[in-house]
Amino acid sequence: MDNTLYEMLDNMNTLYKCSNVFQVAADENCRVLRMNGKVGEGFMTLYRVFDGIYLMYNDFHMQECDSDYQAADTLLCIDHCREGRIEHEAGHGIRYCMEPGDIRIDRRVHHKGVVRMPLSHYHGITIGFQTELAERSFRREMPSISVDLSRLSEKFCPDERECLIRADDTLNSLFSQLYNVPEQRRIDFFKVKITELLLHMDVISPDRFIVERRYFSAVQAERVKAVHDIITAHPDRNYTIDELAAVCGLPSATMRKCFKGMYGSPVYQFIKNYRMQYAADLLLSDRSRLIADIAQSVGYDNASKFSAAFRTVMGVTPQDYRKGGDRFGKG
C-alpha cells in the first residue's frame, strides 16, 4: 500500500475515531472497522475513492451502541438505508428514523451519543466528503467537472440541519448500483457513480423532498422502547393499545404514532410480524415440537388461525416452512 493511501485511510479513521471502533482488517484498497455495541456488533468497510472522499458499507447487528464520535467541521455525508432502521437525532433531543430507501445528507453535527437500531439491524452506504480536500482532488482528477461541495452543503444542510430524501428515483437507482459493484474495477466504478451523484444533487432542489417526518423526543423514544421490549419479551401475551400506552405513560394516539415512527409499522402489525418470525425460528430450531405448541407460544390457541397468520406473513404454511427450511435460508 502506498503512503498516500495509508495517510488517507488514517485520516478517515481519525475522522471516524470512536473508543468502541477498532480496525480488524486492511489491504491496499480498504479498511474494515468493527464497532462494538452493548449487544451485538457492526462492521464498516471503508474505501478511499479520491483524496478526501470515501465510501463505506455499513452492516450492523445490534440494538444500540454508544458513539463518542465528533465530526470535522468541513465534513459532508450522504447516507443511504438499504435495510433495517436507524435512529438519528436532529438536535435539541428530537429524533427520527431512517427507513429503507431513505437518503440523508448532513454534516455529522448531531452524531454523538447513543445510536439505536430499532429492528436490531441496519445496512446501508455512507459517502463522506472532507469538503476542501475533496474539492482539490476533484479538480485534479476530474478537471472538466465543476463540483462545489461547500455550496451543496449550504443547499441541503442550511443552519447545520439534515436533509432527508424519500422520493428521488435517480438517487435510489445510483445507490442500488453501488451495492453490486464489479470487484475488478471497484474504485473506478465508485468514482463514476459518486460523480453522477454529485451532478444530480447539483441540479435538484431540496424543496422537492419536503416530507412529513415522524419526529419524536428522546423521552418518547425511551418510553416507546419499553413497549417494544414488553412485546418482544412476551410474544404469547395479547395486549390492547391502552394497556401498552399505560406501560409507557403516553397517550394512546401518541404511543401509536411514535411506535410506527420508530419501528416502521403499526403496533399490531409489528406484533404479528414479530410473532411469526419468532415462530419461524422455533419451527426450524426445534423440529420435534408440535406446531400447535408453537402456535400457543406466540399467543394463538387455534392452530388454524395461527397457520393462516403465518402464511400471510411468511408466504407459506408452518408445515411447508419447516419442510423447506433449506430453501428459506435457515435449515
Side-chain angles (χ1 to χ4, degrees):
M1 188 189 300
D2 62 74
N3 290 334
T4 301
L5 184 52
Y6 264 125
E7 292 171 2
M8 175 63 189
L9 292 173
D10 283 338
N11 200 14
M12 290 293 101
N13 279 358
T14 299
L15 284 172
Y16 271 85
K17 187 174 182 179
C18 298
S19 59
N20 58 341
V21 174
F22 307 92
Q23 179 177 301
V24 295
D27 63 20
E28 68 276 9
N29 293 316
C30 73
R31 288 188 178 181
V32 180
L33 308 176
R34 184 184 71 226
M35 172 177 281
N36 294 330
K38 294 179 179 178
V39 177
E41 60 186 4
F43 289 91
M44 299 169 283
T45 305
L46 181 69
Y47 292 92
R48 170 195 177 272
V49 182
F50 296 111
D51 287 344
I53 303 175
Y54 67 93
L55 184 145
M56 184 164 66
Y57 292 99
N58 304 297
D59 295 286
F60 296 102
H61 290 274
M62 62 177 77
Q63 288 187 344
E64 63 181 51
C65 64
D66 294 319
S67 173
D68 51 16
Y69 162 78
Q70 186 65 50
D73 292 338
T74 56
L75 190 66
L76 177 69
C77 290
I78 306 170
D79 299 287
H80 179 263
C81 175
R82 185 185 195 186
E83 185 181 336
R85 297 175 75 82
I86 189 166
E87 180 186 315
H88 289 295
E89 184 175 331
H92 307 292
I94 303 301
R95 298 179 175 274
Y96 66 97
C97 279
M98 284 183 67
E99 58 191 53
D102 280 0
I103 295 165
R104 182 184 67 150
I105 306 168
D106 82 329
R107 300 183 183 184
R108 289 300 192 261
V109 175
H110 307 294
H111 209 68
K112 189 175 182 179
V114 178
V115 179
R116 293 183 175 88
M117 280 132 278
L119 301 182
S120 299
H121 69 106
Y122 170 77
H123 306 277
I125 285 174
T126 297
I127 300 174
F129 305 88
Q130 292 171 269
T131 53
E132 294 180 5
L133 179 59
E135 286 178 347
R136 290 198 301 270
S137 65
F138 235 102
R139 285 195 296 270
R140 182 174 63 251
E141 300 201 36
M142 298 284 196
S144 62
I145 297 177
S146 176
V147 172
D148 189 336
L149 290 170
S150 297
R151 185 172 61 81
L152 288 178
S153 294
E154 290 299 326
K155 176 180 176 180
F156 287 95
C157 308
D159 302 320
E160 298 184 339
R161 297 197 302 268
E162 81 288 342
C163 176
L164 188 64
I165 295 175
R166 287 185 173 161
D168 191 88
D169 292 338
T170 300
L171 289 177
N172 274 303
S173 176
L174 284 170
F175 273 100
S176 69
Q177 295 172 59
L178 288 169
Y179 292 104
N180 298 281
V181 176
E183 185 175 351
Q184 63 273 25
R185 298 300 297 273
R186 179 184 285 127
I187 301 302
D188 288 338
F189 194 90
F190 289 161
K191 290 179 179 180
V192 171
K193 293 303 168 184
I194 289 176
T195 301
E196 287 185 50
L197 176 65
L198 292 174
L199 290 175
H200 184 64
M201 288 174 59
D202 191 53
V203 298
I204 61 176
S205 169
D207 294 337
R208 287 177 47 197
F209 308 108
I210 295 175
V211 294
E212 185 181 349
R213 243 173 291 179
R214 300 183 185 97
Y215 287 109
F216 37 88
S217 70
V219 172
Q220 289 172 329
E222 286 297 325
R223 292 186 178 185
V224 169
K225 185 177 182 295
V227 173
H228 169 272
D229 290 347
I230 196 172
I231 287 170
T232 55
H234 305 283
D236 59 321
R237 294 272 304 274
N238 292 310
Y239 299 95
T240 67
I241 291 295
D242 288 342
E243 286 173 334
L244 293 173
V247 166
C248 65
L250 292 173
S252 296
T254 301
M255 187 276 291
R256 290 199 304 266
K257 181 179 179 181
C258 292
F259 190 96
K260 185 175 182 181
M262 284 185 65
Y263 296 100
S265 59
V267 176
Y268 286 141
Q269 185 62 50
F270 179 90
I271 292 173
K272 183 178 181 180
N273 291 343
Y274 180 82
R275 284 174 164 178
M276 295 308 107
Q277 187 57 63
Y278 184 86
D281 293 341
L282 291 177
L283 284 165
L284 299 185
S285 63
D286 190 354
R287 292 176 181 271
S288 64
R289 191 170 179 181
L290 295 176
I291 290 177
D293 184 38
I294 292 175
Q296 288 189 333
S297 72
V298 293
Y300 285 81
D301 292 327
N302 185 304
S304 296
K305 289 184 177 179
F306 164 70
S307 182
F310 190 93
R311 184 167 187 168
T312 299
V313 174
M314 306 301 292
V316 293
T317 65
Q319 294 86 345
D320 287 342
Y321 188 90
R322 175 172 271 173
K323 290 177 184 177
D326 290 336
R327 288 189 292 112
F328 298 111
K330 297 203 173 191

